[in-house]
Amino acid sequence: MICQQCGKRPATVHMTKIVNGQKSERHLCEICANESGELQFVPGAFSFPNLLGSFFSGEAAPGVPQVQTLRCPTCGLTYQQFTQVSRFGCPNCYQAFDPVLDPMLRRIHGSTTHTGKVPRRGGGKLRVRRELEHLKEQLQEKVRLEQFEEAARLRDQIRALEQQLGG
């Protein structure tokens, strides 16, 4: 695609603007995009490692060693190198960088445990187990809040699911 403004260079910047429900699209080259003033385009400023590096940076939590000193004893990868390449060097890096991985994963994913999806076929028991875990958590919360009628209903659901698993 050729730049819509100059008609000379390839369009590498694609802008979509919606104003009062009206959608307009422009396809510009880097130079015309900078000249338009609507977008400050800096060549090479966006890269995947830079994006992920922004998630990895930050202050260490109390009691966590300084990230600059972390190094994998097996492959020698430093934390600084990890933030640049966004890839571990070996399986032991997970243990070496463990003090900073939990906070980082919480920031990126919102959790440190992978739940994944349950396949529709053959995942029936796993689905029931997850439902059981969820109901047990709800039961504890209802008991804590002294909502005993609701807790009894949840208890009965849990028993029915446990019988379903057992049978």
Side-chain angles (χ1 to χ4, degrees), residues 30 41-47 50:
E30 296 174 17
F41 183 76
V42 180
F46 178 79
S47 69
N50 286 347

Side-chain angles (χ1 to χ4, degrees), residues 11-84:
T12 56
V13 178
H14 307 281
M15 298 188 303
T16 302
K17 188 190 292 186
I18 301 174
V19 178
N20 294 331
Q22 297 288 359
K23 179 180 174 182
S24 65
E25 292 184 356
R26 293 178 64 196
H27 307 282
L28 306 172
C29 65
E30 296 174 17
I31 296 169
C32 292
N34 275 332
E35 290 173 358
S36 73
E38 294 183 47
L39 176 69
Q40 292 299 318
F41 183 76
V42 180
F46 178 79
S47 69
F48 193 67
N50 286 347
L51 175 68
L52 288 179
S54 67
F55 285 114
F56 302 142
S57 63
E59 295 297 318
V64 173
Q66 289 292 340
V67 293
Q68 292 83 8
T69 62
L70 291 178
R71 176 182 293 271
C72 177
T74 306
C75 68
L77 183 76
T78 65
Y79 185 76
Q80 183 67 26
Q81 291 169 326
F82 166 65
T83 61
Q84 291 171 354

Side-chain angles (χ1 to χ4, degrees), residues 69-104:
T69 62
L70 291 178
R71 176 182 293 271
C72 177
T74 306
C75 68
L77 183 76
T78 65
Y79 185 76
Q80 183 67 26
Q81 291 169 326
F82 166 65
T83 61
Q84 291 171 354
V85 296
S86 305
R87 199 172 288 154
F88 284 137
C90 71
N92 295 330
C93 289
Y94 289 96
Q95 283 82 28
F97 300 121
D98 184 59
V100 291
L101 284 181
D102 277 352
M104 177 194 59

